[in-house]
Amino acid sequence: MTEGVVEEGEPVSGRYFEPGSARAFPATMTISKDFATIRFERDGVAKCSVREIRGVGARLGSVPRRIELEGGALFEAPADAEITVGPGRASPMLARVFRLESSWRTVAILVVATSVLVAVIFRYGMPVMANVAARVTPAPISAIMDAGTLETVDRTLFSATELSAAEQRDLTERFTTLAPHADTGSRDLVLLFRSSPLIGANAFALPGGTVIMTDELIAVARDDDEIDGVLAHEIAHVEARHTLQTIYRAAGLAIMVGVIAGDSGQMVDTLLSQAAALQQLSYSRAFEIEADLRSVELMLAAGEGRNPLAFIDLLDRLVEEMAPGASEQEEGFFSTHPGNPNRRETVLQHARSLGWDG
């Protein structure tokens, strides 16, 4: 049999749809030189002139081929059915798509173009969309995310703090001197303390306004300004909704990969679960710089005599105390707060632009 031709009298199995109806009837179609004959499984025969066939869907992957009949009736044949009813009746658009699909050069060009498009969306479009989504996320939703994330990290990463009640009270009071200067909308800022030998000296900002500081970080701080600098930095992350944006970017990437791979639902669930566990919430350098600069503003707004560079002093000391090569592995604080050799100079210049002369 010649490819693309149904020989006279050869039946094609498929489904018949009446005009304007989604109900299908099992049937076979036999195309001859002049007529198309449809035989139904439950008796009955319909016959029409070949000239009454308005269009035939071209081959396109696994898409069923549809034969459109005059009056709105439709016969749907398998994707591999070989059908020809004369020139001019095949769908021009589907025919062109089929020809493109059959050309490896065209497929290669489309793959490259798709890759470039995905890269552009990831680099430029996704941050914008994530920012918009973060800005419109209601505070109650952020609070629910905080609760779920906190439950996860308490179960997997943290243990109860070993700080005394007096130490916790003193640190919370310092936190409350910084919090009023931040614009967090309807989200309430809350400071929590946890111990975690596993992740060491670290601090986190959850999307709903919860800031977590580890005992290990407090232990290595040499003065109150270093603690305040860390707190101001995390408050800045909350204010700018960096954690929410990170989660939405991760979800957007999962959706993009899932759509391409054909399994978006499961991938989105998995990625969001990982993001919620904080271990995947590494801030971008742009977010870190933004939080650094905002922390300077919060420190200076909270009162005179504070050193807005103390936070950088603490970071430098943490790097020095790490084993050789540890900073490249981004352990501890740097697993969620990437380092930057130009950080001190950037912060210093911003502080001086605001009138700090320390």
Side-chain angles (χ1 to χ4, degrees), residues 283-306:
Y283 293 121
S284 69
R285 295 194 184 278
F287 284 173
E288 283 300 294
I289 293 173
E290 185 179 350
D292 282 352
L293 300 183
R294 181 57 177 151
S295 72
V296 171
E297 297 168 5
L298 293 173
M299 287 282 283
L300 297 178
E304 296 182 0
R306 295 174 187 258

Side-chain angles (χ1 to χ4, degrees), residues 170-171 174 213 217-231 299 305-311 313-314 317:
D170 178 64
L171 291 167
R174 301 194 65 82
M213 179 174 285
L217 183 61
I218 296 168
V220 299
R222 291 180 176 174
D223 56 43
D224 291 337
D225 280 350
E226 290 186 352
I227 294 293
D228 288 353
V230 172
L231 294 175
M299 287 282 283
R306 295 174 187 258
N307 179 7
L309 265 67
F311 169 61
D313 294 337
L314 174 60
R317 195 164 62 255

Side-chain angles (χ1 to χ4, degrees), residues 52-306:
E52 296 179 43
I53 296 178
R54 298 305 181 193
V56 178
R59 278 184 173 179
L60 183 61
S62 60
V63 178
R65 303 189 69 182
R66 294 188 172 187
I67 302 174
E68 302 173 11
L69 305 175
E70 192 173 70
L74 183 72
F75 184 84
E76 187 179 84
D80 58 354
E82 299 172 355
I83 302 169
T84 293
V85 293
R89 292 189 175 86
S91 170
M93 183 185 72
L94 291 179
R96 284 194 294 270
V97 173
F98 177 65
R99 286 195 298 271
L100 291 174
E101 188 185 52
S102 303
S103 169
W104 68 266
R105 289 185 179 87
T106 302
V107 171
I109 292 172
L110 291 175
V111 168
V112 172
T114 301
S115 300
V116 171
L117 178 61
V118 169
V120 170
I121 292 174
F122 178 74
R123 176 66 179 84
Y124 299 103
M126 197 175 296
V128 173
M129 292 184 288
N131 183 44
V132 172
R135 296 293 171 184
V136 300
T137 300
I141 300 300
S142 299
I144 292 173
M145 297 173 73
D146 273 24
T149 302
L150 189 59
E151 180 182 357
T152 300
V153 295
D154 275 345
R155 187 174 61 250
T156 58
L157 300 176
F158 294 147
S159 58
T161 181
E162 297 180 3
L163 297 176
S164 67
E167 289 174 313
Q168 294 183 54
R169 184 169 56 253
D170 178 64
L171 291 167
T172 301
E173 288 177 358
R174 301 194 65 82
F175 183 74
T176 57
T177 64
L178 295 165
H181 301 284
D183 181 13
T184 59
S186 57
R187 293 169 300 165
D188 295 326
L189 289 168
V190 177
L191 177 62
L192 299 178
F193 304 100
R194 295 290 188 272
S195 176
S196 180
L198 180 63
I199 61 175
N202 219 319
F204 303 95
L206 304 187
T210 302
V211 174
I212 304 173
M213 179 174 285
T214 66
D215 294 357
E216 290 75 12
L217 183 61
I218 296 168
V220 299
R222 291 180 176 174
D223 56 43
D224 291 337
D225 280 350
E226 290 186 352
I227 294 293
D228 288 353
V230 172
L231 294 175
H233 183 89
E234 298 307 323
I235 290 173
H237 280 311
V238 175
E239 185 182 58
R241 294 173 169 81
H242 288 159
T243 306
L244 270 177
Q245 292 186 59
T246 302
I247 292 173
Y248 287 140
R249 288 188 188 188
L253 176 61
I255 291 171
M256 282 175 49
V257 174
V259 168
I260 294 172
D263 184 20
S264 58
Q266 182 178 358
M267 295 189 69
V268 171
D269 290 343
T270 301
L271 199 66
L272 285 176
S273 296
Q274 292 174 341
L278 283 179
Q279 292 174 303
Q280 306 299 322
L281 295 182
S282 296
Y283 293 121
S284 69
R285 295 194 184 278
F287 284 173
E288 283 300 294
I289 293 173
E290 185 179 350
D292 282 352
L293 300 183
R294 181 57 177 151
S295 72
V296 171
E297 297 168 5
L298 293 173
M299 287 282 283
L300 297 178
E304 296 182 0
R306 295 174 187 258

